């Protein structure tokens, strides 16, 4: 039996316009799955817009809160979160193939236990301390990966586990004087729930999704062509051609584009 999934995001204020461009890009590439948005206004193109109300945005933990308290009520088999500044350059095809039999998918970007790392920390936490925090809480892999939380996929049955484990690690780190974002919470959860986190590395799935954190597509709409992704820790470059681009440096352009898409002159 085929599994169902939907895309979702949280998009109030200017992010609502980005979400409109995001959804437009997906439909342009033939993506037909539902898009649900929590916002303070109607998001054009969305399958349905739910009122987000006011919510705490500190540390971006609202992503876990919406997943646990809102998104799970949609009753799909899987939920695919996308940050609003995301662009589809082609149809990603079998999205759920990214799960590899696991209840969660997050792209593992960099090995924080790599002695060749050029960075000393992640979110202000020394890399050796981050690795120790992860191992002390039960992570068993020698490599400890960071991630970008612009996309994550969670199986319906795993939502409670993802929420609990994420907050468990976040509060544990806080007790040690470190206040991470939701990315560290998702990193810990992924290591704990994945059968093999190495299989979820971005470099192993470079045709699906990647974050344009250095701005290869800065102030441009990403195109369906290869480009070089740079490892956040080692600065190693390798070629990617993702169907879905986290266009982190194209926010303003996506806001302006939404006007021409939905409000033609």
């Amino acid at each position: 039996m085929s599994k169902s999934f939907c895309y979702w995001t949280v998009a109030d204020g200017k992010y609502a316009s980005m979400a409109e461009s995001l959804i437009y890009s997906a439909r342009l590439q033939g993506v037909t799955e539902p898009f649900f948005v929590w916002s303070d206004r109607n998001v054009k193109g969305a399958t349905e817009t739910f009122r987000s109300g006011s919510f705490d945005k500190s540390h971006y933990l609202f992503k876990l809160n919406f997943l646990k308290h809102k998104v799970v009520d949609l009753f799909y088999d899987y939920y695919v979160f996308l940050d609003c500044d995301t662009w589809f350059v082609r149809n990603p095809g079998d999205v759920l193939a990214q799960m590899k039999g696991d209840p969660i998918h997050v792209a593992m970007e960099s090995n924080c236990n790599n002695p060749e790392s050029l960075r000393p920390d992640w979110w202000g936490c020394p890399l050796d301390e981050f690795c120790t925090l992860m191992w002390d809480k039960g992570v068993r892999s020698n490599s400890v990966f960071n991630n970008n939380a612009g996309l994550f996929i969670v199986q319906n049955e795993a939502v409670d586990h993802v929420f609990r484990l994420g907050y468990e690690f976040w509060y544990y780190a806080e007790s040690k004087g470190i206040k991470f974002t939701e990315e560290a919470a998702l990193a810990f959860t992924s290591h704990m729930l994945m059968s093999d986190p190495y299989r979820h590395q971005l470099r192993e799935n470079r045709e699906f999704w990647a974050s344009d954190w250095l701005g290869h597509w800065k102030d441009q709409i990403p195109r369906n062509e290869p480009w070089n992704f740079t490892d956040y820790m080692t600065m190693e470059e390798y070629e990617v051609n993702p169907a879905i681009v986290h266009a982190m440096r194209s926010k303003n352009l996506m806001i302006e584009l939404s006007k021409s898409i939905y409000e033609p002159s």
Side-chain angles (χ1 to χ4, degrees), residues 5-63:
F5 73 91
C6 66
Y7 294 99
W8 69 280
T9 194
V10 182
D12 62 350
K14 64 183 181 181
Y15 295 97
S17 295
M18 284 183 239
E20 291 177 339
S21 290
L22 156 62
I23 296 167
Y24 169 78
S25 76
R27 300 305 185 219
L28 197 64
Q29 301 303 330
V31 173
T32 59
E33 286 80 15
F35 270 84
F36 296 100
V37 183
W38 278 262
S39 181
D40 54 357
R41 69 167 174 86
N42 181 54
V43 173
K44 296 171 184 175
T47 304
E48 188 168 357
T49 305
F50 303 99
R51 291 301 176 213
S52 59
S54 60
F55 58 95
D56 184 1
K57 297 180 181 179
S58 59
H59 312 294
Y60 304 100
L61 292 168
F62 67 85
K63 296 179 184 180

Side-chain angles (χ1 to χ4, degrees), residues 99-252:
M99 305 307 293
K100 305 182 190 305
D102 292 328
I104 186 170
H105 169 72
V106 179
M108 305 282 95
E109 284 196 338
S110 305
N111 176 12
C112 298
N113 192 33
N114 188 341
E116 296 182 4
S117 176
L118 300 178
R119 291 181 184 271
D121 63 77
W122 188 41
W123 289 112
C125 179
L127 293 183
D128 58 348
E129 184 175 347
F130 172 57
C131 293
T132 298
L133 289 171
M134 295 279 275
W135 290 326
D136 285 350
K137 287 298 290 179
V139 169
R140 292 292 174 258
S141 57
N142 181 60
S143 297
V144 174
F145 298 102
N146 76 331
N147 63 274
N148 177 292
L151 178 147
F152 58 90
I153 310 173
V154 178
Q155 187 178 27
N156 183 292
E157 290 83 354
V159 167
D160 287 346
H161 297 297
V162 170
F163 180 82
R164 177 182 59 80
L165 287 169
Y167 266 98
E168 182 180 302
F169 181 77
W170 194 90
Y171 281 119
Y172 176 67
E174 185 188 42
S175 74
K176 302 296 183 180
I178 303 294
K179 287 191 176 182
F180 282 114
T181 69
E182 87 291 11
E183 291 183 334
L186 284 169
F188 174 72
T189 300
S190 298
H191 282 78
M192 295 299 287
L193 295 181
M194 290 173 177
S195 57
D196 182 359
Y198 296 90
R199 297 179 67 206
H200 292 263
Q201 290 181 83
L202 189 152
R203 67 178 64 239
E204 301 296 329
N205 304 279
R206 62 184 75 183
E207 295 292 312
F208 177 61
W209 173 93
S211 59
D212 183 24
W213 69 278
L214 276 184
H216 177 84
W217 300 110
K218 183 179 179 180
D219 298 327
Q220 302 178 63
I221 293 301
R223 297 188 294 275
N224 183 20
E225 60 186 49
W227 49 282
N228 285 338
F229 177 84
T230 302
D231 184 284
Y232 187 75
M233 297 300 174
T234 65
M235 303 304 289
E236 171 199 358
E237 291 188 355
Y238 55 90
E239 187 176 277
V240 298
N241 187 13
I244 307 173
V245 179
H246 187 190
M248 301 170 65
R249 312 306 176 200
S250 302
K251 289 181 173 66
N252 291 335

